Amino acid sequence: MTQTAHGVEFTRQPSENPKSAEERAAILANPGFGNYFTDHTAIVDYSVDADGNGGWHDARIEPYGPIVLDPSAAVFHYGQEIFEGLKAYRHADGSVWTFRPEANAARLNKSARRLALPELPAEYFLGAIRELVAVDKEWVPSGDGEALYLRPFMIATEAFLGVRAAREVSFRVIASPAGNYFGGELKPVSIWISRHYARAGRGGTGDAKCGGNYAASLIAQQEAEANGCKQVLFLDQANDNAVEELGGMNVFFVMKDGSLATPALTGTILEGVTRMSVIQVAKDMGREVAERKITLDEWRDGVASGDITEVFACGTAAVITPIGVLKDATEFIGSEDARAGQVTMAIRGKLLGIQTGAEPDTHGWLTRLA
């Protein structure tokens, strides 16, 4: 039994078949993204007793492996599921840190409220990632731009087919060594405009991080890939084709006066932790940032006139990725020969520097894990 700095006790059941140092080194030499997983997982269960009182219990570290669930588990039938994404970075002195985990814990609970799942006390969230990284710290890569990607998630495990909020739930964290999300050298990516599909609707789950949103985006993502694009852009077609977000990333525009603009949060856009961090970093650099409505027409006209000088996307997995071209069957905005913009790369460098310990953490965003 171990007790974390947050006061939550976790039992540990070490894996009997962990990867050898040689196997782990071979994986870390070229981890890709989401292809390999560490030896353990963190788990905390939730249940409601006969008196209707719910609580979290049995916090533990177990060997990574399949989850055994009843075929009638609510997550399979009603999609009661949420997740998060954050990274653990190895600093130059060998220590391991994560970036703004409290923001991820808060967003998980925001998603939980929307999906009628129980809220998870922050000490369990932070304790789970700390405990998992403690036992699997050798999996944290040290290459440029590499990190250990952490995936906390919550699923409804109750075996029951009635349509109501589940009374048995499991919170888990798994970890995967990660390289560059888009692979190779950082180059501006091409984005496909989705004209027929919406990622989320008003009053829906657009500002929750749940699997259903991503499932709804996959057909548009397939369309993007079939047309040579890395990602898809979703628009609010009932609101002058207002720009919303990519399939899994927020969007920023750099204006000719050096200021930034990003779509305002309307309830259909996920409030990204990287998004809020980019806003703060840009302000720290003396740049104004506007959160407002931005239409496809403004994007098109702004690039043509020079009012928009750079466009980039941001998210936990890829951090910051420059956008070169936005297109569909009738539109072509930008240039395939575009290079990453100076402002984009300056913000990216500053943000990555904070995350990896190369830049001072003036906002107290970093939490040491190991």
Side-chain angles (χ1 to χ4, degrees), residues 168-202:
E168 294 176 10
V169 170
S170 182
F171 169 75
R172 296 169 179 252
V173 185
I174 57 176
S176 174
N180 189 309
Y181 185 74
F182 289 115
E185 181 184 349
L186 184 68
K187 297 179 179 179
V189 296
S190 298
I191 307 296
W192 184 256
I193 307 168
S194 178
R195 298 285 190 177
H196 306 293
Y197 303 106
R199 175 185 165 276
R202 296 190 182 280

Side-chain angles (χ1 to χ4, degrees), residues 188-196 220-235 243 246 253 296 299-300 303 311 323-337:
V189 296
S190 298
I191 307 296
W192 184 256
I193 307 168
S194 178
R195 298 285 190 177
H196 306 293
Q221 179 65 30
Q222 287 180 325
E223 188 177 73
E225 292 170 356
N227 286 277
C229 294
K230 293 287 190 179
Q231 267 282 352
V232 60
L233 172 73
F234 291 99
L235 305 170
V243 173
L246 306 186
F253 300 85
L296 181 61
W299 189 337
R300 180 194 307 110
V303 169
V311 188
I323 294 174
V325 172
L326 178 68
K327 66 179 181 178
D328 67 3
T330 60
E331 290 270 10
F332 194 95
I333 302 170
S335 170
E336 291 182 329
D337 298 324

Side-chain angles (χ1 to χ4, degrees), residues 214-365:
Y214 292 79
S217 75
L218 295 180
I219 189 170
Q221 179 65 30
Q222 287 180 325
E223 188 177 73
E225 292 170 356
N227 286 277
C229 294
K230 293 287 190 179
Q231 267 282 352
V232 60
L233 172 73
F234 291 99
L235 305 170
D236 184 347
Q237 297 181 32
N239 186 26
D240 302 322
N241 279 332
V243 173
E244 294 211 308
E245 63 176 281
L246 306 186
M249 306 175 77
N250 295 115
V251 184
F252 278 83
F253 300 85
V254 180
M255 317 307 286
K256 68 179 180 181
D257 64 359
S259 66
L260 273 66
T262 190
L265 301 175
T266 59
T268 58
I269 297 174
L270 183 68
E271 183 178 8
V273 175
T274 306
R275 174 188 182 276
M276 68 173 73
S277 304
V278 166
I279 291 172
Q280 185 59 59
V281 166
K283 290 180 177 179
D284 292 345
M285 297 170 72
R287 300 183 183 277
E288 294 184 3
V289 183
E291 298 179 68
R292 61 176 178 82
K293 176 180 174 180
I294 302 168
T295 66
L296 181 61
D297 286 343
E298 181 181 357
W299 189 337
R300 180 194 307 110
D301 296 342
V303 169
S305 68
D307 287 339
I308 294 174
T309 59
E310 303 172 30
V311 188
F312 64 87
C314 69
T316 298
V319 188
I320 289 178
T321 298
I323 294 174
V325 172
L326 178 68
K327 66 179 181 178
D328 67 3
T330 60
E331 290 270 10
F332 194 95
I333 302 170
S335 170
E336 291 182 329
D337 298 324
R339 296 184 178 183
Q342 291 184 352
V343 175
T344 297
M345 295 307 290
I347 294 173
R348 184 178 190 273
K350 184 72 172 180
L351 187 57
L352 273 173
I354 295 170
Q355 293 171 336
T356 59
E359 293 275 353
D361 174 25
T362 59
H363 296 288
W365 285 343

Side-chain angles (χ1 to χ4, degrees), residues 32-293:
F33 187 88
N35 298 324
Y36 305 98
F37 299 91
T38 67
D39 296 310
H40 298 87
T41 180
I43 307 171
V44 190
D45 292 325
Y46 174 92
S47 59
V48 177
D49 63 22
D51 296 323
N53 300 311
W56 292 95
H57 54 86
D58 295 335
R60 61 200 186 274
I61 299 294
E62 290 185 355
Y64 181 93
I67 300 173
V68 178
L69 291 176
D70 192 283
S72 66
V75 65
F76 296 139
H77 303 275
Y78 307 122
Q80 215 181 351
E81 175 271 350
I82 56 175
F83 67 97
E84 276 297 320
L86 64 164
K87 287 179 175 178
Y89 297 87
R90 189 175 295 282
H91 287 192
D93 64 358
S95 61
V96 180
W97 302 71
T98 192
F99 181 74
R100 305 191 73 175
E102 297 87 357
N104 291 96
R107 189 173 64 179
L108 182 88
N109 281 335
K110 180 180 180 181
S111 299
R113 290 190 294 272
R114 181 62 183 86
L115 273 292
L117 286 162
E119 293 187 42
L120 179 77
E123 58 266 28
Y124 280 100
F125 184 97
L126 297 170
I129 63 173
R130 188 185 298 275
E131 283 292 296
L132 180 58
V133 171
V135 299
D136 283 341
K137 61 180 180 291
E138 298 304 321
W139 281 92
V140 182
S142 57
D144 184 36
E146 296 180 341
L148 184 68
Y149 182 80
L150 302 170
R151 170 53 60 86
F153 63 100
M154 189 186 297
I155 58 175
T157 56
E158 185 182 8
F160 179 73
L161 290 181
V163 183
R164 60 159 169 76
R167 295 169 183 165
E168 294 176 10
V169 170
S170 182
F171 169 75
R172 296 169 179 252
V173 185
I174 57 176
S176 174
N180 189 309
Y181 185 74
F182 289 115
E185 181 184 349
L186 184 68
K187 297 179 179 179
V189 296
S190 298
I191 307 296
W192 184 256
I193 307 168
S194 178
R195 298 285 190 177
H196 306 293
Y197 303 106
R199 175 185 165 276
R202 296 190 182 280
T205 58
D207 61 351
K209 197 167 179 66
C210 61
N213 292 343
Y214 292 79
S217 75
L218 295 180
I219 189 170
Q221 179 65 30
Q222 287 180 325
E223 188 177 73
E225 292 170 356
N227 286 277
C229 294
K230 293 287 190 179
Q231 267 282 352
V232 60
L233 172 73
F234 291 99
L235 305 170
D236 184 347
Q237 297 181 32
N239 186 26
D240 302 322
N241 279 332
V243 173
E244 294 211 308
E245 63 176 281
L246 306 186
M249 306 175 77
N250 295 115
V251 184
F252 278 83
F253 300 85
V254 180
M255 317 307 286
K256 68 179 180 181
D257 64 359
S259 66
L260 273 66
T262 190
L265 301 175
T266 59
T268 58
I269 297 174
L270 183 68
E271 183 178 8
V273 175
T274 306
R275 174 188 182 276
M276 68 173 73
S277 304
V278 166
I279 291 172
Q280 185 59 59
V281 166
K283 290 180 177 179
D284 292 345
M285 297 170 72
R287 300 183 183 277
E288 294 184 3
V289 183
E291 298 179 68
R292 61 176 178 82
K293 176 180 174 180

